[in-house]
């Protein structure tokens, strides 16, 4: 059969077929983008199959993910369960040293400035496997759902512990195992927020901490401790509370044998709500590794504030040894960004975050609250709209061309 391309009978079926094909193509692309950008996905559990040195143990599966993440919170005890209640109190005293007698009388006495439960140096073993979530729960029965704790007395500090996170399950186990008892002995009111970056795009630590601030602020927290998940405090006299100036806690880390350099301002830092707003939070353009801690120092200096550090003997930390993660490569632009940090801190930070991320999942485990976010939600939507616009333009051009050809 020979097609007569000068005949309208030939062009009409071809035109209809092309139109149908283009519409179907646009529909499929749109659906794929909609699934990726708009539909909350089944969120990854905390895990990192890319770190080969993480040993698979009873707490982690072959991908390095927590295996008992969905265990129920059954720590609440009733007065009728006398035997269980005795075991409950024994666990509190053994693990934290706190005598949990209860505070049903409504006593509003202020907690002591220096808690009577402080031990000073704390033994931290990062060479052996961490405890599993269920064991950590049993050792910390006073910790409430979502990883929150309030002492019997009126706490002098109410702090949100904000952890920027992605695929560091084993590190999180160490953190929960050792930090919950320390924070309880300090008699502060606290809650642990794990801000988990979804996907495999370059890690954006500072933006995750901005998001953590926004989400914790909704729960009436006004002191924020931004904390690396691989750092464990080894002296409970380093009290996690905000001061009149920003606080740099982690300036004595075993890996570095002390302070890395004078301007180092990372690992664990504390800022009040007003201090955080004054520096406009953290920048959102430091992607990957390098400079994301130093820029905080630059912002503090740019606003005319100073900072506070606990004594060298108290602010002691151990670091969980690990290789750098995939997706957290060295930021080649870090030095250029640091040079302009003081001049540009008002242009990018807390004020540019709210419309650029989306919460995909919020999960309150008995030991922590995990909030999984798409940190590039705005960019994904811009890209999606651009692709749809281009496809629509292409369709219009093709239809017009075929229509003109048919009429001729």
């Amino acid at each position: 059969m020979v097609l007569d391309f000068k005949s309208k009978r030939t062009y009409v079926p071809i035109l209809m077929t092309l139109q149908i094909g283009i519409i179907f193509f646009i529909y499929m692309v749109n659906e794929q983008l909609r699934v990726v950008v708009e539909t909350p996905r089944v969120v990854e559990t905390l895990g990192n199959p890319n770190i080969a040195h993480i040993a698979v143990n009873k707490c982690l599966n072959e991908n390095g993910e927590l295996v008992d993440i969905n265990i129920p919170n059954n720590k609440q005890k009733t007065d009728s369960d006398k035997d269980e209640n005795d075991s409950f109190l024994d666990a509190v005293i053994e693990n934290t040293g706190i005598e949990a007698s209860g505070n049903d009388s409504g006593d509003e006495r202020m907690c002591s400035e220096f808690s009577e439960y402080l031990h000073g140096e704390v033994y931290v073993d990062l060479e052996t496997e961490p405890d599993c979530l269920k064991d950590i729960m049993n050792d910390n029965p006073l910790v409430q759902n979502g990883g929150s704790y309030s002492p019997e007395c009126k706490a002098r500090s109410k702090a949100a512990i904000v952890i920027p996170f992605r695929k560091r399950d084993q590190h999180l186990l160490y953190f929960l195992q050792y930090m919950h008892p320390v924070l309880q002995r300090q008699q502060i009111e606290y809650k642990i927020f794990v801000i988990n970056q979804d996907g495999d795009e370059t890690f954006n630590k500072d933006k995750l901490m901005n998001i953590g601030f926004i989400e914790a602020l909704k729960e009436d927290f006004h002191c924020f401790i931004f904390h690396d998940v691989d750092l464990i405090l080894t002296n409970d006299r380093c009290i996690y509370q905000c001061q009149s100036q920003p606080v740099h806690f982690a300036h004595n880390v075993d890996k570095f044998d002390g302070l890395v350099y004078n301007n180092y301002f990372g690992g664990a830092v504390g800022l009040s709500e007003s201090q955080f707003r004054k520096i406009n939070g953290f920048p959102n353009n430091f992607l990957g590794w390098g400079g994301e801690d130093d820029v905080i120092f630059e912002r503090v200096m740019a606003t005319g504030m100073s900072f506070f550090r606990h004594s060298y003997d108290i602010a002691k930390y151990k670091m969980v040894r690990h290789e750098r993660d995939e997706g957290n490569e060295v930021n080649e632009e870090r030095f250029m960004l640091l040079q302009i940090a003081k001049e540009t801190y008002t242009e990018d930070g807390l004020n540019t975050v709210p419309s650029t991320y989306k919460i995909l999942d919020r999960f309150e485990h008995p030991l922590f609250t995990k909030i999984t976010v798409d940190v590039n939600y705005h960019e994904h939507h811009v890209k999606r709209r651009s692709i749809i616009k281009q496809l629509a333009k292409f369709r219009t051009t093709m239809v017009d061309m075929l229509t003109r050809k048919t009429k001729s």
Side-chain angles (χ1 to χ4, degrees):
M1 175 181 176
V2 179
L3 294 176
D4 180 7
F5 286 97
K6 294 183 180 180
S7 171
K8 289 186 179 182
R9 293 185 202 176
T10 302
Y11 272 112
V12 170
I14 294 175
L15 176 60
M16 293 179 63
T17 302
L18 283 173
Q19 284 182 318
I20 293 171
I22 292 170
I23 292 171
F24 179 74
F25 177 70
I26 292 174
Y27 171 79
M28 291 303 295
V29 171
N30 184 57
E31 283 298 297
Q32 289 298 316
L33 289 169
R34 182 184 63 79
V35 170
V36 171
V37 178
E38 293 182 350
T39 305
R41 283 175 277 178
V42 177
V43 180
E44 302 174 5
T45 54
L46 321 165
N48 190 354
N50 299 316
I51 300 180
H53 75 281
I54 290 183
V56 176
N57 56 36
K58 60 182 180 180
C59 307
L60 307 173
N61 62 21
E62 66 275 6
N63 292 323
E65 300 168 343
L66 296 174
V67 295
D68 51 359
I69 188 71
N70 292 311
I71 52 179
N73 181 11
N74 57 2
K75 296 182 296 183
Q76 300 298 326
K77 307 295 178 180
T78 62
D79 293 335
S80 60
D81 299 327
K82 187 175 186 304
D83 293 338
E84 290 187 13
N85 195 53
D86 289 343
S87 299
F88 170 82
L89 296 178
D90 289 343
V92 175
I93 296 173
E94 180 180 354
N95 196 48
T96 65
I98 299 174
E99 295 184 7
S101 56
N103 191 23
D104 298 331
S105 62
D107 185 4
E108 287 297 323
R109 62 186 175 86
M110 185 69 71
C111 295
S112 301
E113 186 174 357
F114 297 101
S115 169
E116 61 184 296
Y117 302 116
L118 298 178
H119 294 170
E121 288 288 334
V122 178
Y123 177 71
V124 174
D125 179 12
L126 302 180
E127 300 300 322
T128 58
E129 296 177 356
D131 290 344
C132 295
L133 288 173
K134 188 174 182 180
D135 297 325
I136 301 172
M137 284 175 56
N138 291 335
D139 288 341
N140 296 275
L142 292 180
V143 175
Q144 300 300 306
N145 202 41
S148 62
Y149 171 79
S150 298
E152 296 173 354
C153 49
K154 188 176 181 180
R156 293 177 178 270
S157 175
K158 181 180 179 181
I161 314 299
V162 178
I163 302 174
F165 186 91
R166 185 169 65 182
K167 301 177 181 179
R168 293 282 194 91
D169 296 58
Q170 190 181 48
H171 299 179
L172 182 59
L173 287 174
Y174 281 124
F175 187 91
L176 298 171
Q177 175 181 342
Y178 289 108
M179 291 301 294
H180 266 307
V182 164
L183 296 172
Q184 290 171 79
R185 289 199 298 272
Q186 292 184 355
Q187 288 191 309
I188 65 171
E189 183 178 349
Y190 70 90
K191 184 172 183 176
I192 294 177
F193 294 87
V194 177
I195 312 301
N196 180 44
Q197 179 172 329
D198 184 64
D200 297 318
E201 294 178 284
T202 306
F203 193 60
N204 195 334
K205 175 182 174 181
D206 284 349
K207 187 169 184 178
L208 289 172
M209 294 191 291
N210 283 336
I211 295 170
F213 170 85
I214 294 171
E215 296 304 317
L217 192 62
K218 296 175 182 177
E219 300 189 27
D220 200 33
F221 284 94
H222 301 285
C223 174
F224 305 85
I225 313 296
F226 301 97
H227 210 297
D228 288 357
V229 72
D230 58 2
L231 285 183
I232 310 297
L233 180 63
T234 63
N235 191 316
D236 59 15
R237 297 186 185 279
C238 183
I239 308 299
Y240 273 22
Q241 61 185 12
C242 292
Q243 307 282 353
S244 59
Q245 300 290 341
V247 183
H248 181 215
F249 294 99
H251 64 94
N252 184 3
V253 181
D254 65 339
K255 177 181 177 180
F256 310 116
D257 194 25
L259 187 63
V260 186
Y261 44 86
N262 289 334
N263 293 0
Y264 177 67
F265 208 73
V269 298
L271 296 99
S272 67
E273 178 186 350
S274 60
Q275 292 163 1
F276 194 80
R277 291 188 183 279
K278 190 172 183 179
I279 67 171
N280 192 25
F282 305 140
N284 302 300
N285 57 354
F286 271 80
L287 304 179
W289 181 90
E292 74 279 3
D293 296 325
D294 300 334
V295 73
I296 303 173
F297 176 86
E298 296 296 335
R299 289 190 170 216
V300 170
M301 295 296 101
T303 56
M305 291 190 289
S306 59
F307 60 92
F308 171 78
R309 283 178 175 144
H310 289 276
S311 69
Y312 185 82
D313 293 334
I314 291 178
K316 300 176 70 174
Y317 290 79
K318 282 189 175 183
M319 178 181 284
V320 183
R321 302 304 172 94
H322 60 91
E323 303 296 329
R324 187 174 301 143
D325 308 320
E326 290 186 12
N328 195 30
E329 290 76 17
V330 173
N331 184 347
E332 301 294 345
E333 300 178 346
R334 64 190 185 282
F335 296 116
M336 181 271 292
L337 292 171
L338 283 171
Q339 288 177 355
I340 61 175
K342 290 183 179 179
E343 290 73 29
T344 60
Y345 80 93
T346 60
E347 300 171 9
D348 175 52
L350 182 62
N351 61 342
T352 57
V353 171
S355 62
T356 66
Y357 75 94
K358 182 177 182 179
I359 296 178
L360 301 179
D361 184 68
R362 183 186 179 94
F363 172 58
E364 291 206 344
H365 185 274
L367 295 171
F368 59 92
T369 294
K370 187 185 94 172
I371 302 175
T372 299
V373 297
D374 177 359
V375 296
N376 297 312
Y377 178 70
H378 176 70
E379 289 82 353
H380 290 162
H381 266 273
V382 170
K383 183 177 181 180
R384 174 177 178 265
R385 288 195 297 268
S386 175
I387 292 174
I388 296 300
K389 187 175 181 180
Q390 291 178 34
L391 289 172
K393 184 177 180 180
F394 172 75
R395 175 189 177 277
T396 301
T397 301
M398 290 295 296
V399 170
D400 289 345
M401 182 182 71
L402 290 170
T403 302
R404 287 196 300 270
K405 190 69 174 177
T406 301
K407 290 181 178 179
S408 64

